Amino acid sequence: MSTILKEKVKGQVAWKGTDLAKDDSWVYYLSEKTVASLENALVHVKQKGLKAPDFNKEDFPIPDIYEEIIYFVEELENGRGFLLIRGLPIERYTDEEASIIYWGLGLHMGIPVSQNANGDLLGHVKDQGFSLENSNVRGYQTKLHLPFHADGSDVVGLLSLRKGKSGGHSSIISSMTVYNEILEKNPEYLGVLCRPFYFDRRGEEAPGEPPVFTSSIFNYYDGKLSCRYVRLFIESAQAKTGIQLSKVEIEALDLLDSLLHDENLHYNMMLEPGDMQFVNNYTILHSRTQYEDYEEPERKRHLLRLWLTMPNGREISPEFAMFIDENTGKPGRGGVPQRKTTSGGIVETLK
């Protein structure tokens, strides 16, 4: 069981949606100089005949915006825990060129990690006609409402290429503020939320690996509070373990959900084409409203996604890790361990 933090989380990270609505200083606008630097790096990559994600950060030189990168990285771990970067003139680029810029920027912020067992490093968020009733389907493959959740990395980023016909708003909430609310009004449930729950791996497990893993929802370690929550994955894990949630566990999750839906606490935004959003998965939960898409394939809603391990990322406790790194013996800091088939047909897991 995780240590229970008995004091409220303080600082910018414990924001409320009403705070963001009053002041848009959290929106970072790219300058013409910064856009020019990104475009020069784009030309450099294209001249070398490279495409995303098959190049490294040395192939995408952006020395002129070093200080901005430092600000982005610091804001994600020690500031509000999220960024909305606006001003990339997406209409100038093909999808391939936009992916080069986005991948290149991500390489300078952190280390991209695998988003699924196939090892995808640059994800495509678009409707593929799937249903979440299939326990191996992930929410980004549908156009359905996605409840608040955290992804399996230090930071998740999105670049909007095209938005849908209607809907598809991005919602974020400070899980630190949610903890503060529970501590103040319903502290009796913190003991439940700080002990392990089973989470469904949704078909991303390697051969011989359990289809579930255990993690507390809130975890206090090395001076920092972290949160991991995906209720759908907790509920679908029951069918795979045969272990049902207890009455008090359901009550605790219901309380958590009621706070996530508090309009004073969360904030909704529309990611316009060219917008880049990054969130710290340990301090921010994110959601998406259902959307209606266009019929024409070239107009359909499409976002690019990155999962990043950050250079200043927090240490996490072994019981909060999704896996233990076989090479270092330390808690895995993010990403889905990649499965690789050898020439002999044997499936290995790379961590």
Side-chain angles (χ1 to χ4, degrees), residues 183-197:
L183 179 62
E184 178 181 345
K185 300 172 184 176
N186 301 95
E188 66 275 15
Y189 286 107
L190 287 179
V192 177
L193 296 171
C194 290
R195 69 190 188 204
F197 284 78

Side-chain angles (χ1 to χ4, degrees), residues 302-322:
H302 189 180
L303 295 88
L304 299 179
R305 185 174 71 170
L306 285 173
W307 281 9
L308 299 174
T309 291
M310 303 301 286
N312 63 342
R314 65 191 59 198
E315 293 294 324
I316 58 175
S317 65
E319 63 265 21
F320 192 68
M322 294 176 66

Side-chain angles (χ1 to χ4, degrees), residues 13 21 72 129 131 135-136 139 183 273:
V13 71
F72 296 158
S131 169
S135 66
N136 291 337
L183 179 62

Side-chain angles (χ1 to χ4, degrees), residues 11-22:
Q12 284 187 310
V13 71
W15 52 265
K16 294 183 179 180
T18 49
D19 300 330
L20 302 187
K22 296 174 186 174

